[in-house]
Amino acid sequence: MKTNKKTTSNCNPFDFLTEEIIFTILDYLNDDPFAKKSFSLTCKALYSIESHHRKTLKPLRAELLSRTLHRYPHIEHLDLTLCPRIEDSMLNVVSLACKDALFSINLSRSRFFTNIGLSSLVSSCCNLVEIDLSNGVELNDLAAAAIAEAKNLEKLWLSRCKLITDMGIGCVAVGCRKLRLICLKWCLKVSDLGLQLLALKCKEIRSLDLSYLQITEKCLPSILQLQHLEDLVLEGCLGIDDDALSTLQQSCKSLKTLNMSNCHNQSHVGLSSLINGAENLRELTLAYGPAVTADLAKCLHTFSGLRLVKFDGCLVKCSGVRAIGRWPSSLKELSFSKCSGVADDSLSFLVQAHKELTKLDITCCRMITYDSVDSITSSCPSLTSVGMESCSLVPKEAFVLFGQRCELMEELDATDTKIDDEGLKSISRCSKLSSLKLGICLNITDDGLKHIGSSCSKLKELDLYRSLGITDEGIAAVTSGCPELEIINIAYNDKITDASLISLSRCSRLRVLEIRGCPHVSSKGLSAVAVGCRQLAVLDIKKCFNINDNAMLQLAQFSQNLKQINLSYCSVTDVGLLALASMNRLQNITVLHLRGLTPNGLAAALLTCRGITKVKLHASFKPLLPKSLLDYIEALGCVFHWRDKAFQVEIDPKGWKLHFGKSPEAP
């Protein structure tokens, strides 16, 4: 009997589960890498099962690539964006380890590989359907020719591959006939000829990004003949003007999304020719383009399927806004961000016609008042997202209307407005609220935040930048009622102390924390955050003078997910920086005016931090560091940014006081 009892007690309950059931359990852990790691370390059996389950891999360091791929033999999606230096030999390792299993690879943040490595990759991994080579500024036509051997390729990103010419694009066009998406943004040597060949050979293209290419109207007829084209981006294509577009006979009938932002040489005349016949058009972006006039609105009148329109940065005429209000289509999303000329009467007329709006952006529309908000909230009760930063004429009473009439609200940007505690009390009725931006809102206090904390349990992002009426009490109210908080900005709030950070340490999902210019926080508070917020990835503690090495030691031990940190003006020394340098995921660090930092300490930290990709340093350090050291670090893929900024003692710059009309000399 004793033997049987002992055998039963040592039995692993997972032995009774099939591999499929365990795979289902692991699927639920995909968003939590630490939980997945803990699961795999439980026993040898689960370690082996987790190895076979993993299909996506994002390695931290290139030198561990061979060992990692051996550990995970069934990788389908490989993301190398955390590995700045990827040489041809490493791509050869990938090709030998993954072979037919690999479907996609992301090399958009990697450098130093050539056409030789790419040729090895595509020849062995014949099932590749997605390759991202964005930012490959050193890649040329030979690299494009290597990619052309990927016969099953469906998606290709070549953004900023500035050395690739029409010849390289021609190779891709001939070799990759199954392409459905290609991004050529900033490929400045690609001209009409390359695009004509691409359109001729790759008939399956659905998405085409030609942003900032030096092309003319010559390539457009071929492009618009693509029968499956749905998404076309012509942003910043200055060579395409009204005269060129007027020669077009008909647009692509399958086109659903068109982006013509920053096309300064076009008006409604050219736009009308380009979209003529595009009966399936759903989304249109004309940011920083032609003026929004009645003529422009009239040429879009017949597109009954139009659901999203963005006019960001355009000059807006009242007649144009009213004409949009007469469209037969019912818009879902509309943006007038940073548009001059948007007024109450025309905007009110528009929203009364488009009652199904769910997203509206009127950022920096400084002419609108209470009347606009009254019309918006009464006409569009289904709004889920509203951006109204710097709408300075909107009174505090108007914000109450959002809570009374738009209870489905999920995102509200009220930065630099007159919103007060009564407005927040009303908005707290929006139980689905996930993002709330209240930067530079001087009328809100802890009382308003208490309402948000008590009712908005799904809040994930909160911006309180320079909202000077907030104290530890308000932060505590939010953290106790909003356990899903991921992003918070409390920078330049002089009433914030360690108590706020201790409260935030309860938010285990916190990823981004900005506390720059909070003089009363110290290592005690930040240490609590390090222990409680294991998912912390971005941290800004600039001008937090009381934060020292003690906090850095805690971050190094507990916040292993940290990727970006700004230490400028803190009391961190060589010891603290070396501790941070031991963190595997740290990529981006800003180190300006650290009085306790020495050239030797900085050099040691740079040598220790193997995954670093960007370092911002004061220019005074450059002559103090050996050139051979800097060359070595740069060869690993790191980019140095040297700054020659004078030391600033003030937390609140004079420019900030002038923003509120105060005298810099005023006490």
Side-chain angles (χ1 to χ4, degrees), residues 155-226:
K155 296 182 179 180
L156 176 62
W157 289 268
L158 296 174
S159 177
R160 294 185 183 275
C161 293
K162 298 182 180 181
L163 297 182
I164 293 180
T165 70
D166 291 336
M167 184 176 294
I169 296 302
C171 292
V172 171
V174 172
C176 305
R177 300 294 185 93
K178 297 181 181 180
L179 270 181
R180 290 170 172 259
L181 177 151
I182 184 167
C183 176
L184 299 174
K185 185 176 183 179
W186 286 110
C187 293
L188 299 181
K189 292 190 175 183
V190 175
S191 70
D192 294 320
L193 179 61
L195 296 180
Q196 287 172 328
L197 186 56
L198 188 69
L200 178 65
K201 298 294 184 180
C202 302
K203 299 293 188 180
E204 299 296 320
I205 289 181
R206 266 75 169 167
S207 179
L208 184 59
D209 189 343
L210 308 177
S211 300
Y212 300 100
L213 266 60
Q214 300 177 17
I215 55 177
T216 68
E217 77 284 359
K218 294 179 181 179
C219 65
L220 289 181
S222 299
I223 291 172
L224 296 179
Q225 287 178 12
L226 290 168

Side-chain angles (χ1 to χ4, degrees), residues 313-314 316 335-344 347 360-369 372 387-394:
C314 295
V316 173
S335 179
F336 285 120
S337 176
K338 300 179 182 178
C339 290
S340 59
V342 180
D344 284 338
L347 183 59
L360 177 65
D361 193 345
I362 48 176
T363 295
C364 295
C365 292
R366 303 180 189 277
M367 295 170 60
I368 68 170
T369 68
S372 286
M388 50 188 307
E389 176 183 349
S390 298
C391 291
S392 52
L393 294 183
V394 176

